[in-house]
């Protein structure tokens, strides 16, 4: 048999197929046209529709108009007045300019443009087919601005036409797109009209406001429940302007109006994150109304993942989404009416934890953390004997395999979630962390792969083709510090059961070398008693803000849980407590939080390496707990740069091997 002849597809057909990818239904065309009119600085935009936009979709604006000499080429592919060099694609302040919209439309519909600029005396009318101007533009009367008429959409793609649902549904989609742009652009007056109808289907006034437009379009039930807020983030360089319903409102239908850099887009991840916040408060199957406008540095945005530019990806997506989630949650809890609602929901039995923390709840502290060898710590062993007994017979390999201790030993209780932090001292600490964050180190951390531990202090990790060594202790200390200030007032607790007597712990700490006690310092028992007194007096602060509980009788009942699955090394608990009494500035609020967090972070960052099996556990923790947490949470301050060192990279290694 003869082989089939390979023919080059007709160019017109190729273009039509490409255009059909971009314009999949009337609503896609409308979105492009609205964006063009807005880009042209219009203050009035009127849309007329016949048969769901398939017979006619016409948009009239009062923007800049198109110059006569440009009419010949506006419908060629890749012609745009908005970018001229490839590099502009990344730099241009808005996105979506690929000069494809009008060209695409002209391949799948009859397109006519009537336009007049301020300079020209009269307007011009031009018709297009398959990307080309038909004949010459004809002079005509008209006001400044542009009228774009699209007739018989998909006349040359019968299958596409058939594939569309009802005309009513197409109209609904057109109306939905217009509604969203109207909310986002309240300074512009929009009208949507079905041809022949006396009344417009939708109309918003010029110089309106977002909430007013939401009222007009979506109804007062939504607009009166709106909570407005903006958030500017210095670290990830984004701004969010939001209007979200309070939890008193809910609907079966989920509505999220999302704009990124002024373009209507969708983000499944962001929507899921916002929904998850509301899920705690709304009845099952009910949703909020959310309007959100994000502004990101354009170079961080990748719009070309999808031909309709509907779906976008952006740099630091996870972090940004997490931040927005926190904001939404904080705002919901901040509003008073919500608070009562929140309390109602917190009746016994109501779920009050998110999944990660739920997992945390079943964690137990691991046996080997309690087994010590050196002298002062031997005493700790003796002292902690009841706990150690519980462990006898537990063979330990990795925490996952370790048999859990009996219920009554150590347990994590999840804090009542998400109390909004209003203390400016803490907010200041956060701002400082965010200001000091090195974007460079952060971007390295974002996709590091753990390689191995060198010793107690150092680990190796890989990022792309580079191999680094870092100071694990410095990194984890910073991590724990940041967790304390970001989870402030919301920390889960590691319950210590039975509780440990504070005074005896303090006595033990005075025995340790770290305390550096000498007889001149005074009687040990007296010192321990006065340190205990300080801590008992300050217990409410530690309990309220940090989840560290010391009872009035002087028992240590719980410690904060800073990172899921991480437990501090109890051997260092006595010295930690002593330092809390002596080194924390309890008098001044800001200093108090700062010194408390630093001491706590230091305590938590000490892993145990003294024994073979303890070392194995610490390796496990470094790989499975600390490194994932670095990736997820750590905002590395610039000074941590000194704690990372690039050992080698692939190109260098290639050079080495080439010589061999
Ligand atoms: P892009 O918007 O990516 O530049 P389009 O195909 O959507 O590509 O539009 C091509 C060009 O036509 C635009 O760059 C702009 O100069 C011009 N244009 C389109 N619509 C309008 C309008 N309503 N008013 C003024 N100029 C317009
Ligand atoms: Mg455009």
């Amino acid at each position: 048999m003869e082989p089939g002849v390979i023919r080059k597809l007709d160019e017109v057909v190729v273009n039509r197929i490409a255009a059909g990818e971009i314009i999949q239904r009337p609503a896609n065309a409308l979105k492009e046209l609205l964006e063009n009119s807005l880009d042209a600085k219009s203050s009035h935009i009127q849309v007329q529709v016949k048969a769901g936009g398939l017979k006619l979709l016409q948009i009239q604006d009062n923007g800049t108009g198109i110059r006569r000499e440009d009419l010949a080429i506006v419908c060629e592919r890749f012609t745009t007045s908005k970018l001229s060099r490839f590099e502009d694609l990344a730099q241009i302040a808005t996105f979506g300019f690929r000069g494809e919209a009008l060209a695409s439309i002209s391949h799948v519909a009859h397109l006519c443009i009537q336009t007049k600029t301020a300079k020209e005396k009269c307007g011009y009318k031009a018709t297009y087919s398959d990307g080309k101007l038909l004949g010459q533009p004809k002079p005509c009367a008209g006001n400044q601005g542009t009228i774009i008429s699209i007739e018989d959409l998909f006349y040359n793609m019968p299958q596409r036409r058939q594939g569309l649902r009802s005309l009513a549904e197409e109209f609904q989609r057109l109306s939905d797109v217009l509604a969203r742009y109207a909310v986002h652009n309240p300074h512009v007056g929009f009208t949507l009209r079905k041809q022949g109808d006396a009344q417009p289907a939708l109309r918003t006034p010029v110089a309106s406001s977002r909430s007013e437009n939401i009222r007009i379009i979506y109804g007062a039930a939504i607009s009166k429940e709106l909570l407005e807020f903006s958030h500017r983030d210095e670290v990830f360089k984004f701004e969010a302007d939001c209007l979200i319903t309070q939890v008193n409102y809910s609907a079966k239908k989920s509505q999220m109006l999302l704009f990124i850099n002024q373009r209507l887009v969708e983000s499944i991840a962001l929507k899921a994150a916002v929904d998850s916040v509301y899920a705690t408060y709304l009845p099952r199957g009910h949703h909020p109304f959310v309007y959100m406008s994000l502004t990101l540095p354009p170079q961080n945005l990748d719009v070309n993942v999808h031909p309709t530019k509907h779906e976008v990806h952006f740099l630091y997506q996870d972090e940004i989404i997490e931040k927005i989630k926190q904001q939404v949650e904080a705002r919901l809890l901040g509003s008073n009416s919500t608070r009562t609602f929140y309390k109602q929901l917190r009746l016994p039995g109501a779920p009050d934890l998110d999944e990660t923390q739920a997992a945390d709840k079943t964690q137990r502290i691991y046996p080997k953390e309690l087994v010590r060898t050196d002298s002062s710590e031997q005493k700790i062993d003796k002292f902690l004997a009841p706990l150690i007994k519980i462990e006898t017979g537990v063979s330990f390999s990795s925490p996952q395999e370790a048999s859990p201790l009996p219920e009554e030993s150590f347990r994590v209780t999840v804090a009542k979630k998400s109390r909004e932090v209003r203390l400016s001292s803490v907010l200041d600490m956060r701002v400082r962390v965010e200001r000091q964050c090195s974007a460079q180190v952060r971007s390295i951390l974002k996709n590091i792969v753990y390689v191995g531990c060198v010793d107690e202090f150092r680990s190796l990790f890989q990022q792309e083709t580079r191999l680094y060594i870092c100071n694990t202790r410095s990194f984890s200390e910073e991590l724990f510090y940041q967790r304390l200030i970001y989870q402030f007032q919301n920390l889960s607790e590691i319950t210590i059961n039975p509780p440990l007597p504070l005074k005896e712990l303090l006595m033990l700490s005075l025995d340790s070398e770290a305390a550096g006690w000498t007889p001149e310092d005074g009687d040990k028992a007296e010192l321990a008693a006065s340190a205990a007194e300080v801590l008992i007096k300050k217990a409410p602060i530690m309990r309220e803000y940090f989840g560290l509980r010391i009872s009035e009788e002087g028992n240590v009942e719980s410690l904060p849980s800073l990172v899921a699955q991480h437990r501090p090394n109890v051997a260092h608990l006595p010295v930690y407590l002593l330092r809390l009494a002596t080194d924390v500035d309890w008098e001044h609020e800001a200093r108090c939080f700062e010194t408390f967090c630093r001491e706590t972070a230091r305590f938590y960052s000490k892993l145990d390496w003294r024994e073979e099996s303890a070392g194995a556990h610490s390796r496990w923790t470094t790989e499975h707990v600390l490194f994932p947490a670095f990736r997820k949470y750590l905002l590395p301050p610039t000074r941590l740069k000194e704690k990372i060192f690039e050992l080698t990279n692939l190109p260098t290694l290639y050079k080495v091997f080439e010589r061999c």
Side-chain angles (χ1 to χ4, degrees):
M1 222 173 95
E2 289 287 301
V5 181
I6 300 170
R7 255 181 252 111
K8 199 171 167 224
L9 274 177
D10 178 23
E11 201 190 337
V12 172
V13 176
V14 172
N15 283 332
R16 188 180 306 151
I17 292 169
E21 299 259 298
I22 296 168
I23 308 296
Q24 299 182 341
R25 55 185 353 132
N28 299 134
L30 179 61
K31 174 179 187 289
E32 296 290 342
L33 298 178
L34 288 173
E35 287 174 357
N36 284 346
S37 293
L38 291 164
D39 290 339
K41 311 216 164 19
S42 312
S43 62
H44 267 286
I45 298 179
Q46 298 177 41
V47 178
Q48 279 220 44
V49 171
K50 215 158 120 184
L54 287 162
K55 190 82 207 109
L56 173 74
L57 178 62
Q58 186 181 70
I59 174 165
Q60 174 167 14
D61 68 45
N62 63 347
T64 58
I66 302 170
R67 299 180 314 155
R68 189 199 176 282
E69 54 271 40
D70 291 338
L71 280 174
I73 57 161
V74 280
C75 284
E76 278 169 27
R77 247 182 124 186
F78 308 122
T79 57
T80 167
S81 56
K82 299 161 197 167
L83 95 161
S84 56
R85 298 170 308 142
F86 178 75
E87 298 82 81
D88 294 344
L89 201 56
Q91 264 148 39
I92 199 154
T94 45
F95 71 76
F97 303 129
R98 299 190 304 180
E100 277 187 305
L102 288 180
S104 303
I105 292 167
S106 78
H107 282 282
V108 295
H110 299 303
L111 172 69
C112 171
I113 301 179
Q114 184 180 332
T115 185
K116 181 182 174 304
T117 61
K119 277 207 184 120
E120 270 147 342
K121 288 202 184 63
C122 69
Y124 290 91
K125 195 170 178 174
T127 51
Y128 300 85
S129 182
D130 295 330
K132 300 212 173 50
L133 177 64
L134 299 177
Q136 284 297 308
K138 293 189 187 64
C140 64
N143 297 327
Q144 184 191 324
T146 306
I147 304 176
I148 298 203
S149 312
I150 299 169
E151 285 177 280
D152 303 317
L153 186 61
F154 304 132
Y155 73 94
N156 50 4
M157 301 180 88
Q159 273 158 340
R160 172 61 59 84
R161 228 192 142 109
Q162 274 159 18
L164 294 178
R165 307 256 195 97
S166 71
L167 299 183
E169 181 172 337
E170 294 310 320
F171 182 78
Q172 188 48 48
R173 287 179 186 255
L174 289 171
S175 159
D176 194 47
V177 167
L178 190 103
R180 288 166 187 246
Y181 273 94
V183 169
H184 185 62
N185 298 280
H187 51 283
V188 179
F190 289 84
T191 314
L192 172 67
R193 197 188 294 275
K194 273 189 194 169
Q195 209 177 46
D197 281 6
Q199 291 295 322
L202 200 156
R203 163 179 258 155
T204 60
V206 191
S208 179
S209 69
R210 285 197 181 131
S211 54
E212 172 63 5
N213 281 0
I214 291 175
R215 189 190 63 76
I216 294 170
I217 300 168
Y218 296 96
I222 292 178
S223 69
K224 71 178 170 42
E225 291 295 339
L226 288 175
L227 212 69
E228 182 163 16
F229 70 90
S230 299
H231 175 73
R232 173 194 287 267
D233 193 284
E234 299 292 340
V235 182
F236 299 113
K237 310 265 180 287
F238 74 93
E239 274 178 63
D241 292 295
C242 311
L243 278 161
I244 62 175
T245 45
Q246 304 189 35
V247 296
N248 299 332
Y249 169 86
S250 75
K252 288 265 166 64
K253 191 174 161 212
S254 172
Q255 290 263 31
M256 177 153 187
L257 283 55
L258 175 64
F259 284 78
I260 298 186
N261 290 8
Q262 323 308 329
R263 289 325 202 214
L264 179 64
V265 292
E266 256 167 42
S267 163
I268 294 167
L270 180 56
K271 187 164 187 301
V274 172
D275 266 349
S276 76
V277 177
Y278 277 92
T280 327
Y281 313 113
L282 301 188
R284 195 177 285 272
H286 281 239
H287 305 276
F289 174 96
V290 172
Y291 161 84
M292 209 171 264
S293 167
L294 303 185
T295 315
L296 310 169
Q299 65 272 18
N300 288 1
L301 204 65
D302 185 2
V303 289
N304 290 331
V305 286
H306 192 263
T308 63
K309 295 172 253 170
H310 212 61
E311 205 183 300
V312 290
H313 288 180
F314 45 92
L315 205 59
Y316 307 128
Q317 187 156 313
D318 295 350
E319 290 84 350
I320 290 176
I321 289 178
E322 185 56 35
K323 287 259 169 183
I324 293 172
K325 196 173 150 181
Q326 285 167 6
Q327 285 296 318
V328 169
E329 182 142 47
R331 302 300 160 148
L332 285 182
L333 294 179
S335 65
N336 277 337
S337 58
T338 312
R339 226 175 237 297
T340 20
F341 195 85
Y342 181 55
K343 283 207 192 97
Q344 287 162 12
L345 277 171
R346 291 279 171 263
L347 295 171
D352 62 352
L353 23 130
D354 67 32
E355 269 163 30
T356 51
Q357 282 173 318
D360 208 357
K361 203 178 178 184
T362 58
Q363 291 299 315
R364 303 284 181 275
I365 196 140
Y366 303 117
K368 285 293 168 183
E369 294 184 23
L370 304 173
V371 181
R372 304 294 157 252
T373 48
D374 78 23
S375 66
S376 71
E377 276 147 1
Q378 249 156 26
K379 289 194 191 166
I380 296 175
D381 285 356
K382 207 168 103 211
F383 171 73
L384 296 171
L387 281 174
I388 295 168
K389 272 209 196 86
I390 301 171
E391 302 152 21
T392 320
V394 173
S395 81
F396 171 86
S397 48
S398 84
Q400 273 175 336
E401 293 158 27
S403 324
L405 290 177
E407 277 298 307
E408 63 276 14
S409 57
F410 283 52
R411 180 184 317 150
V412 174
T413 349
V414 177
K416 283 273 170 288
K417 264 203 70 205
S418 289
R419 286 185 290 169
E420 190 185 5
V421 175
R422 293 172 191 274
L423 292 171
S424 61
S425 52
V426 177
L427 299 176
D428 286 349
M429 286 164 90
R430 292 182 184 173
V431 169
R432 238 175 295 137
V433 166
E434 291 168 17
R435 280 223 192 96
Q436 287 168 4
C437 174
S438 153
Q440 188 202 345
V441 184
R442 177 68 209 147
S443 68
I444 294 176
L445 285 188
K446 205 180 138 34
N447 40 37
I448 51 176
V449 178
Y450 171 83
V451 174
C453 281
V454 180
D455 58 22
E456 188 176 347
F457 294 104
R458 293 171 300 170
S459 315
L460 295 172
F461 66 83
Q462 186 190 336
Q463 191 251 347
E464 286 171 357
T465 56
R466 289 177 285 272
L467 183 68
Y468 293 91
I469 189 163
C470 77
N471 184 316
T472 334
R473 173 79 67 86
S474 307
F475 273 73
S476 55
E477 195 171 323
E478 190 59 32
L479 170 78
F480 291 124
Y481 171 79
Q482 293 180 7
R483 294 298 290 161
L484 281 160
I485 61 176
Y486 280 92
Q487 297 292 96
F488 186 86
Q489 277 191 311
N490 290 301
L491 284 154
S492 305
E493 294 171 9
I494 303 169
T495 310
I496 303 175
N497 197 357
L500 302 175
L502 177 62
K503 214 189 273 172
E504 288 167 53
L505 287 170
L506 290 166
M507 281 297 281
L508 282 169
S509 78
L510 288 167
D511 290 341
S512 75
E513 262 173 55
W517 177 87
T518 60
E520 291 96 82
D521 294 328
D523 179 56
K524 262 189 198 170
E526 268 170 39
L527 284 174
S530 66
E533 199 182 315
V534 171
L535 294 181
I536 292 168
K537 205 165 125 216
K538 301 300 174 187
I541 298 180
M542 295 187 274
R543 181 185 64 230
E544 177 69 10
Y545 299 135
F546 299 107
L548 192 161
R549 281 176 197 273
I550 297 174
S551 69
E552 277 172 35
E553 302 76 50
N555 286 317
V556 184
E557 296 176 340
S558 74
L559 292 172
S561 165
L562 301 183
V563 173
Q565 296 203 314
H566 180 270
R567 302 292 163 265
N569 182 347
V570 188
H572 299 291
L573 179 62
V575 171
Y576 165 65
L577 291 168
L578 183 67
R579 292 190 62 94
L580 286 186
T582 58
D583 287 57
V584 170
D585 177 348
W586 292 104
E587 297 316 311
H588 308 97
E589 182 186 299
R591 284 293 303 152
C592 168
F593 294 152
E594 175 69 19
T595 46
F596 178 90
C597 292
R598 287 287 170 207
E599 286 303 333
T600 309
R602 184 186 299 182
F603 166 42
Y604 275 61
S605 67
K606 288 179 182 160
L607 290 172
D608 185 5
W609 289 86
R610 268 159 310 166
E611 269 180 63
E612 190 70 12
S613 60
H617 177 224
S618 296
R619 279 195 176 81
W620 186 92
T621 305
T622 307
E623 177 172 4
H624 298 284
V625 178
L626 296 178
F627 267 75
F630 294 161
R631 273 197 296 268
K632 192 163 173 198
Y633 303 116
L634 187 61
L635 299 175
T638 319
R639 68 188 139 76
L640 280 189
K641 269 189 197 167
E642 288 160 24
K643 306 288 178 182
I644 301 187
F645 182 72
E646 183 180 329
L647 288 178
T648 186
N649 55 50
L650 212 53
T652 313
L653 289 177
Y654 281 143
K655 279 184 209 136
V656 173
F657 288 118
E658 265 167 24
R659 274 187 240 121
C660 297

